[in-house]
Amino acid sequence: MKNVFNSYDMKDLKLKNRISMAPMTRSRTIKGEVPTEMNAQYYAQRASAGVIISEATQISLQGQGYADTPGIYTQEQIDGWKKVTSAVHEEGGKIILQLWHVGRVSSSKVNGLQPIGPSPLIAKDTQVYIFDTAQSKDATMIPVEEPKEMSNDDITQVIEEFRIAAKNAIEAGFDGVEIHGANGYLLDQFLRSNSNRRSDRYGGNKENRIKLLLEITKEVIDEIGEDKTGVRLSPFIKFKDMDDPEILDTFMLAAKELNELDILYIHLCEADWDDAPQIPESFRKELRAAFKNTIIATGGYSLDKANDVVKKDLVDIVGFGRYFIPNPDLVNRLKNNYPLAQIKDSHTLFGGRDEVGYSDYLNYKA
């Protein structure tokens, strides 16, 4: 019977199972937003996942919204990521880099720059975090600032930054990239009518609002190939002031266009809190009909729920996020019904200069 422990071919990428380690922001880089040997160890410990999708990684300084998140726009960052990809590949794993621009979800206190977005609309009730000192254990939450409306030159630059970031990711040894179009960040801001009030070719109707996503995807494909290009979207998530009544229709239009581009996968980011809205099976069937390649789904999945959507052929790969933090051997624990470890200290989820709460979790010993 089809389940998440079966092997799976994602185009030419041969996966040992249908479990993905989901992207999780950890804010564990050093000065210059450079990955380290500690990051390499962390990812290598979790290489039993069929595929790892890395933490969100900014494509430029302008694209950064939180402290100590990694970049992929300098040679030093590329060299740091090489340590990570080599370590994962040595353990027989596959790893994809998530390309990120936060858009309006930022503050000049993070990167010294005014945020940018499709329109000069501040994201209500939205915060980002900084660390007051390099030794700070707790992040300081600060409100986002009003963004500058992006000019045509700004848009052209962002498209180019995504292309270069994809090129850099392949140089760093990644098996592909994921364009982050979810969770209220820049591309999601363009997709939604409440955050995109433009009257040019990138705003107004649904066809215009998906243009930037498609143009970036085409540039990335031209640079590294459609077989190495995935896209993450989150049509059911409304936080960061992203409640748009048109988003489901916009999403499905984008899915059909991405299907024509023959990209590697669509990654559906789903809400993972207790009272989150349940995605109807009819939506999953519509997406399956619209998009022929791999569908990944992440957000609040149990093993039973994951196996159910895979068995019904609604989803091909299921992502697990927080479970992978205290359970580096999560695949083995799930497969053998071993108990799952719990996160020891929530203070270690974001930020830190040592392995505590990061790479110090152990595999299960039966």
Side-chain angles (χ1 to χ4, degrees), residues 138-181:
D138 292 313
T140 298
M141 304 302 296
I142 58 174
V144 298
E145 298 171 4
E146 182 176 312
K148 167 186 173 286
E149 179 170 303
M150 293 173 69
S151 66
N152 287 332
D153 287 345
D154 292 329
I155 291 173
T156 299
Q157 180 174 337
V158 164
I159 295 171
E160 178 69 358
E161 288 168 349
F162 269 98
R163 183 192 68 79
I164 293 171
K167 177 177 179 288
N168 291 346
I170 300 306
E171 180 185 339
F174 285 95
D175 297 294
V177 303
E178 176 176 287
I179 298 167
H180 197 345

Side-chain angles (χ1 to χ4, degrees), residues 70-132:
I72 189 65
Y73 56 92
T74 71
Q75 189 60 50
E76 192 176 10
Q77 292 163 355
I78 295 169
D79 293 341
W81 277 119
K82 285 179 180 178
K83 299 173 185 177
V84 175
T85 58
S86 294
V88 170
H89 290 150
E90 285 173 10
E91 294 296 325
K94 307 291 185 185
I95 183 166
I96 286 172
L97 183 69
Q98 187 183 75
L99 303 180
W100 191 30
H101 194 302
V102 300
R104 68 180 187 173
V105 183
S106 188
S107 163
S108 59
K109 293 181 180 178
V110 174
N111 57 9
L113 301 170
Q114 181 185 8
I116 59 175
S119 302
L121 300 170
I122 194 165
K124 299 174 186 174
D125 303 319
T126 302
Q127 296 180 313
V128 293
Y129 58 77
I130 57 174
F131 299 106
D132 293 332

Side-chain angles (χ1 to χ4, degrees), residues 108-332:
S108 59
K109 293 181 180 178
V110 174
N111 57 9
L113 301 170
Q114 181 185 8
I116 59 175
S119 302
L121 300 170
I122 194 165
K124 299 174 186 174
D125 303 319
T126 302
Q127 296 180 313
V128 293
Y129 58 77
I130 57 174
F131 299 106
D132 293 332
T133 69
Q135 290 75 39
S136 293
K137 188 174 183 181
D138 292 313
T140 298
M141 304 302 296
I142 58 174
V144 298
E145 298 171 4
E146 182 176 312
K148 167 186 173 286
E149 179 170 303
M150 293 173 69
S151 66
N152 287 332
D153 287 345
D154 292 329
I155 291 173
T156 299
Q157 180 174 337
V158 164
I159 295 171
E160 178 69 358
E161 288 168 349
F162 269 98
R163 183 192 68 79
I164 293 171
K167 177 177 179 288
N168 291 346
I170 300 306
E171 180 185 339
F174 285 95
D175 297 294
V177 303
E178 176 176 287
I179 298 167
H180 197 345
N183 294 1
Y185 298 118
L186 181 65
L187 300 186
D188 201 15
Q189 293 158 26
F190 270 86
L191 292 175
R192 302 197 186 226
S193 62
N194 65 310
S195 52
N196 181 350
R197 303 286 178 83
R198 303 177 72 92
S199 57
D200 63 1
R201 63 189 296 265
Y202 293 102
N205 58 36
K206 295 185 287 292
E207 290 76 12
N208 284 354
R209 294 200 307 274
I210 67 173
K211 269 190 172 69
L212 182 57
L213 172 66
L214 297 179
E215 289 180 5
I216 286 170
T217 304
K218 289 173 185 175
E219 284 293 314
V220 170
I221 287 172
D222 286 347
E223 184 63 46
I224 67 172
E226 68 275 2
D227 59 331
K228 290 183 172 61
T229 304
V231 171
R232 192 182 210 205
L233 299 167
S234 58
F236 288 89
I237 292 180
K238 301 177 181 179
F239 58 72
K240 299 189 183 80
D241 192 20
M242 298 301 285
D243 191 0
D244 171 19
E246 298 181 13
I247 189 57
L248 293 184
D249 290 337
T250 306
F251 168 88
M252 206 56 68
L253 180 63
K256 292 173 182 176
E257 293 292 334
L258 293 170
N259 183 65
E260 291 299 314
L261 295 177
D262 197 28
I263 63 169
L264 184 61
Y265 66 78
I266 285 178
H267 185 178
L268 190 63
C269 181
E270 304 175 15
D272 61 357
W273 48 90
D274 291 340
D275 59 348
Q278 294 297 306
I279 295 182
E281 193 164 298
S282 59
F283 172 86
R284 296 190 188 279
K285 289 179 178 177
E286 186 179 0
L287 176 58
R288 178 60 88 188
F291 187 76
K292 66 185 178 184
N293 290 333
T294 297
I295 297 173
I296 304 174
T298 297
Y301 278 84
S302 65
L303 179 58
D304 287 343
K305 183 181 176 184
N307 279 329
D308 182 61
V309 292
V310 167
K311 181 178 68 175
K312 291 177 178 176
D313 197 34
L314 300 172
V315 169
D316 300 297
I317 297 170
V318 177
F320 292 86
R322 286 197 176 209
Y323 286 148
F324 261 112
I325 293 176
N327 299 284
D329 57 337
L330 179 64
V331 175
N332 188 47

